[in-house]
Amino acid sequence: MTNRRVICLLQTIESSVFEIRLKKPLELCQELYGWNVSYNIIFDFDIDSVRPMDIYIIQRNPSDWIVQLILDIQSAGGLVVFELDDLITEMPYFLQHHVDFIQGRTNLQEALRVSNMVSVTTQRLASQMYQYNDNVHVVPNSAGCNIVKTAALSDV
């Protein structure tokens, strides 16, 4: 598990979700295991211009091009973890992003299916994601050291 090269592909790095779900736990993995972790805005990402990584973490993106990006990453030898903190496959109508996520639901569901692993916040959310992917792991928000040690992407 040492010397893993991990890149997170995010919609924004100015988000508490990013801090809680990805940055803090991955900083711990850097410290514990010597991982090389980097972050990139997904809209600026070009797989041909980035050195090969072992693991690509994609955070909750329902764009129409997301499935092709995942397949391209896998063709280049990378493993993809699709990261979710909410049940965005069933976005409530009263939320601001409802229309965008409803329009992207098919893309999101297919992205979940083709990813190597799905990471979620709760067991309840995991139970909803098993219909798309058998390799679902619960990593609670603000994961402590023991959680990161046992769920350190060894199952990807």
Side-chain angles (χ1 to χ4, degrees):
M1 267 197 318
T2 59
N3 300 321
R4 294 237 187 199
R5 297 165 301 166
V6 179
I7 187 167
C8 294
L9 302 177
L10 313 154
Q11 294 186 51
T12 180
I13 59 171
E14 298 172 5
S15 156
S16 60
V17 172
F18 161 65
E19 288 282 329
I20 293 168
R21 294 291 305 145
L22 296 172
K23 189 174 182 196
K24 295 297 182 189
L26 288 171
E27 285 175 348
L28 184 58
C29 288
Q30 283 180 293
E31 182 182 321
L32 293 173
Y33 308 117
W35 288 10
N36 178 4
V37 179
S38 60
Y39 308 95
N40 201 16
I41 301 300
I42 196 164
F43 306 109
D44 299 333
F45 179 71
D46 177 10
I47 194 169
D48 295 325
S49 67
V50 176
R51 65 186 178 90
M53 304 299 268
D54 300 313
I55 300 169
Y56 295 75
I57 301 173
I58 298 176
Q59 190 177 35
R60 63 184 325 214
N61 191 307
S63 300
D64 58 354
W65 43 264
I66 198 67
V67 172
Q68 188 58 54
L69 176 62
I70 292 169
L71 296 173
D72 290 348
I73 289 169
Q74 291 169 332
S75 292
L79 301 171
V80 176
V81 176
F82 204 91
E83 209 292 313
L84 290 174
D85 63 320
D86 289 314
L87 185 59
I88 60 175
T89 55
E90 304 297 329
M91 187 66 73
Y93 73 90
F94 56 83
L95 293 179
Q96 178 182 355
H97 302 301
H98 172 76
V99 173
D100 294 335
F101 279 100
I102 293 303
Q103 291 173 345
R105 180 185 293 167
T106 302
N107 303 327
L108 180 63
Q109 291 169 339
E110 187 61 19
L112 292 165
R113 284 184 189 96
V114 299
S115 293
N116 298 90
M117 180 177 136
V118 176
S119 170
V120 298
T121 52
T122 66
Q123 189 58 51
R124 183 175 178 191
L125 182 55
S127 68
Q128 296 293 315
M129 293 300 108
Y130 284 121
Q131 66 184 306
Y132 305 109
N133 194 308
D134 292 335
N135 195 13
V136 178
H137 292 270
V138 176
V139 179
N141 285 338
S142 301
C145 188
N146 290 337
I147 294 292
V148 172
K149 285 180 182 178
T150 59
L153 305 179
S154 60
D155 296 316
V156 173

